[in-house]
Amino acid sequence: MPYYIQPQDVTKLSAWQALTEHYQLMKKFDMRQAFSENTNRFKEFSLEGCELLFDYSKNLITKETIQLLVKLANDVGLTQARADLFSGKFVNASENRAALHTALRRPYGDQVFINDVDIMPEVHQVLHQMTELVNSIHNKLWRGFTEKPITDVVNIGIGGSFLGPMLVSEGLLPFAQKGVTCHYLANIDGSEFREVVAELNAETTLFIVSSKSFGTLETLKNAQAARHWFFAQGGTEKDLARHFIAVSSNVKAAVEFGIAKENIFPMWDWVGGRYSLWSAIGLPIALSVGMSNFKELLAGAYMMDQHFLTAPFEKNMPVLMALLGVWYSNFFNAQSHAILPYDHNLRDFVRHLQQLDMESNGKGVRQDGSPLTIDSGPIIWGGVGCNGQHAYHQLLHQGTRFISVDFIVPVVSANPVNNHHQWLYANCLSQSQALMLGKNKQQVEQELTAKGYSAEQIEKLAPHKVIAGNRPSNTLVLERVSPRSLGALVALYEHKVFVQSVIWGINAFDQWGVELGKELGLAVYKGLTDYQPTPAEDTSTQGLINYFRNHHRG
Ligand code: F6P
């Protein structure tokens, strides 16, 4: 029975016990003292590679901490787990599937087998199909029903069929090719639909229905609405093939919807939705930045894959990021993990990382079905800097909760304006520094005295100005946000999430938790709309349904 099916309570490992003892020592650890005693600390706890600088020196760690964490990674069988992930073993045990998003960025000539079938020819066939489509649209060869070229593409999809494509495209805005604008229709709220179509001309619009299952309510309802809109704008059934394509693993359902078979880009069950931007789900990215830049994105991810596969754990960025996350979640009781990009085009990047991390590791049982006794995936949140400094950084600096932080910042700005980028970069570094240094009571009192405050005023004000400090953060510095570096960054987080799932012994690739809401949704919908509805299971839901029925005039 493979390792990931065997009951694995990581807390029973001697490496976990050793970390528990080590924590007793480390809870008194002070980063400020560590930096003052060791001028080589940055050098010892930072890594360069894959067009990234990973500074993890501002963490509550010593060399011994890293050694103990790396031993944990070894003792949970990470080496074998990593090999199984890349080789197509069914690491997604509950769905009996592989998780081969890494295959999507492997070069020509590589082979990856599932049930003795090499999947790489089809992977590259789809890349070729994507290239054909992107080129025909960019070269104005693809014509709409009035023979006009396509100027706008609407991606109809939600979750992984939306977030990754949208946020990578947004991150790569400076690389956008002129001539094609991508829009995203995800939610079932009619306001979003109206907002998107308001600026569209049906003659020059292509809809991409992106749905691995081709069974997601929001996506199907939006696709139907888009088709009705298309007809209302003068399109006809015979024109659908020019204006609707699909990306799905459910070809039958896509054809039944009315998508021409030749317009369907295949997906596979061995690619999870939140890991699928590298597949044809990434068409909006390719249409935005061009196929050569899309292949640069793949190359960047491949570069990180090789680093993850080959670097020793103590010099392995995703492994170290994962271990630090376990150290804070499971030993320091970190309440959440904040990801703060100091880059306008990455302002919403955390939304993709939320699904990637929280839908992968928001689990309560191990792969063998046994209940977890420790915390698994953290709450991932964040937002763009400097804006966060004027919104929630107060809590990070003086709040009562232990929250670890990743700062992300490029050296080169996509849009230099005077010395703005130097200030942006300075703010990013100073926030990380302030979290670590803080300001103690003596420093506050000296500062207030120098400003002429009286002893009485100082005694009153000082406690409010003290900042505890000693709060950890990682800083990821990109040379610039490019297709290659962004591909590496996304893959870094994918592998971090995977490593944590192996340590906790959970399945990062299923998402059974989202099923119940969908099931209950149908009963509530009927409660809202049926003439003689069946009473709801509980009086809260029934009360809320009644309020709707009494106030809705739709
Ligand atoms: O949230 C559940 C989920 O299945 C995600 O994992 C997925 O990315 C999203 O819904 C959309 O699924 P599909 O691509 O099958 O429409």
Side-chain angles (χ1 to χ4, degrees):
M1 188 194 307
Y3 72 92
Y4 36 82
I5 304 295
Q6 291 156 4
Q8 163 136 305
D9 182 350
V10 67
T11 66
K12 298 286 188 286
L13 297 175
S14 61
W16 188 276
Q17 302 300 336
L19 281 163
T20 304
E21 287 155 28
H22 184 60
Y23 168 70
Q24 293 310 317
L25 174 73
M26 290 304 288
K27 63 186 180 183
K28 306 180 191 79
F29 176 80
D30 189 314
M31 281 190 266
R32 292 154 293 202
Q33 186 181 342
F35 273 104
S36 63
E37 289 169 356
N38 176 5
T39 53
N40 275 331
R41 187 171 172 85
F42 167 74
K43 195 168 180 306
E44 288 169 8
F45 296 112
S46 60
L47 283 175
E48 275 194 66
C50 302
E51 300 187 9
L52 287 172
L53 165 64
F54 173 47
D55 172 16
Y56 62 104
S57 60
K58 297 197 196 83
N59 275 293
L60 301 169
I61 55 172
T62 61
K63 279 185 180 174
E64 185 188 3
T65 316
I66 297 298
Q67 285 160 3
L68 291 172
L69 287 167
V70 165
K71 184 168 186 322
L72 180 70
N74 281 310
D75 291 2
V76 296
L78 180 59
T79 301
Q80 183 60 54
R82 182 180 59 183
D84 289 353
L85 174 74
F86 278 78
S87 65
K89 294 292 188 309
F90 287 8
V91 294
N92 176 354
S94 72
E95 294 181 303
N96 200 32
R97 290 174 180 172
L100 274 169
H101 43 286
T102 54
L104 299 174
R105 52 241 196 178
R106 292 179 72 151
Y108 260 81
D110 274 20
Q111 290 187 306
V112 181
F113 292 90
I114 295 183
N115 298 328
D116 300 326
V117 175
D118 181 5
I119 61 166
M120 291 311 295
E122 191 175 2
V123 166
H124 287 127
Q125 165 51 35
V126 171
L127 265 181
H128 177 70
Q129 194 183 353
M130 289 173 71
T131 303
E132 293 287 287
L133 173 77
V134 171
N135 289 342
S136 71
I137 288 176
H138 281 182
N139 299 328
K140 303 189 188 320
L141 300 174
W142 183 294
R143 296 290 170 136
F145 68 96
T146 59
E147 294 308 322
K148 290 178 182 170
I150 298 298
T151 58
D152 292 88
V153 171
V154 179
N155 185 80
I156 302 177
I158 198 164
S161 300
F162 152 60
L163 288 167
M166 188 190 83
L167 297 165
V168 167
S169 300
E170 187 173 79
L172 296 179
L173 203 59
F175 296 82
Q177 312 274 317
K178 302 295 170 265
V180 175
T181 304
C182 285
H183 311 263
Y184 295 87
L185 188 50
N187 202 354
I188 199 165
D189 184 333
S191 296
E192 186 173 38
F193 181 85
R194 289 283 165 242
E195 185 180 276
V196 167
V197 299
E199 50 186 291
L200 297 178
N201 171 357
E203 298 172 57
T204 58
T205 296
L206 176 70
F207 291 96
I208 307 176
V209 185
S210 292
S211 177
K212 178 180 171 182
S213 62
F214 220 88
T216 303
L217 172 81
E218 297 91 337
T219 301
L220 295 181
K221 297 295 284 180
N222 275 323
Q224 287 161 8
R227 190 168 53 186
H228 294 151
W229 174 84
F230 176 73
F231 293 147
Q233 298 292 312
T236 64
E237 285 280 349
K238 68 177 176 43
D239 303 320
L240 280 175
R242 292 183 180 218
H243 293 272
F244 282 81
I245 67 175
V247 181
S248 186
S249 61
N250 189 341
V251 173
K252 180 173 176 294
V255 169
E256 283 167 3
F257 174 81
I259 306 285
K261 200 163 170 51
E262 68 272 15
N263 283 356
I264 298 173
F265 290 74
M267 262 188 86
W268 306 278
D269 68 6
W270 39 263
V271 178
R274 52 194 174 273
Y275 297 88
S276 64
L277 68 87
W278 321 99
S279 71
I281 288 287
L283 262 175
I285 304 169
L287 285 162
S288 294
V289 301
M291 206 59 200
S292 58
N293 280 324
F294 184 77
K295 288 179 177 175
E296 272 292 288
L297 183 79
L298 296 177
Y302 180 73
M303 182 170 59
M304 183 55 73
D305 293 345
Q306 299 314 303
H307 167 73
F308 176 44
L309 274 171
T310 58
F313 289 166
E314 63 277 4
K315 294 289 181 197
N316 194 306
M317 290 185 201
V319 172
L320 288 168
M321 281 181 82
L323 290 171
L324 287 166
V326 167
W327 183 229
Y328 294 137
S329 281
N330 300 121
F331 295 89
F332 284 81
N333 189 31
Q335 310 274 325
S336 66
H337 181 70
I339 299 175
L340 311 178
Y342 275 66
D343 180 89
H344 177 65
N345 294 328
L346 293 180
R347 60 191 176 278
D348 292 327
F349 182 53
V350 70
R351 290 168 59 193
H352 170 60
L353 300 181
Q354 281 181 316
Q355 186 198 9
L356 177 64
D357 200 311
M358 295 167 81
E359 195 166 73
S360 294
N361 287 346
K363 309 291 168 64
V365 297
R366 299 189 193 90
Q367 290 254 36
D368 68 328
S370 59
L372 270 181
T373 55
I374 51 173
D375 278 343
S376 53
I379 297 163
I380 300 290
W381 63 283
V384 70
C386 298
N387 298 25
Q389 296 167 212
H390 306 274
Y392 38 77
H393 283 215
Q394 164 62 37
L395 182 139
L396 292 174
H397 290 296
Q398 287 189 321
T400 57
R401 299 172 188 278
F402 185 106
I403 297 172
S404 51
V405 178
D406 288 350
F407 289 96
I408 300 171
V409 65
V411 171
V412 176
S413 165
N415 292 288
V417 173
N418 302 327
N419 56 4
H420 289 204
H421 190 67
Q422 286 84 341
W423 275 113
L424 182 73
Y425 196 92
N427 271 277
C428 179
L429 271 53
S430 57
Q431 287 297 308
S432 167
Q433 191 179 37
L435 285 170
M436 187 261 288
L437 289 178
K439 185 181 285 186
N440 64 35
K441 192 163 181 287
Q442 186 186 5
Q443 289 168 320
V444 168
E445 288 170 347
Q446 283 168 358
E447 184 186 281
L448 293 176
T449 303
K451 287 181 177 174
Y453 281 74
S454 69
E456 185 190 355
Q457 286 170 323
I458 290 172
E459 187 183 359
K460 197 174 167 195
L461 180 57
H464 301 280
K465 288 177 69 73
V466 169
I467 296 174
N470 209 35
R471 297 189 173 187
S473 64
N474 298 316
T475 300
L476 287 156
V477 185
L478 289 73
E479 290 162 18
R480 68 187 67 244
V481 179
S482 67
R484 185 175 283 259
S485 68
L486 191 53
L489 186 68
V490 175
L492 170 60
Y493 277 97
E494 287 180 345
H495 296 320
K496 170 212 165 175
V497 166
F498 172 68
V499 170
Q500 291 186 333
S501 74
V502 173
I503 290 168
W504 293 319
I506 61 180
N507 183 344
F509 302 109
D510 60 9
Q511 53 284 321
W512 297 108
V514 301
E515 300 306 317
L516 178 59
K518 293 177 184 177
E519 290 157 18
L520 296 176
L522 180 58
V524 173
Y525 175 80
K526 291 172 72 64
L528 297 174
T529 55
D530 281 2
Y531 191 66
Q532 299 287 347
T534 309
E537 294 278 316
D538 62 276
T539 54
S540 165
T541 304
Q542 190 56 59
L544 295 167
I545 288 172
N546 294 345
Y547 189 87
F548 182 91
R549 292 176 71 94
N550 296 334
H551 292 79
H552 188 258
R553 298 287 178 270

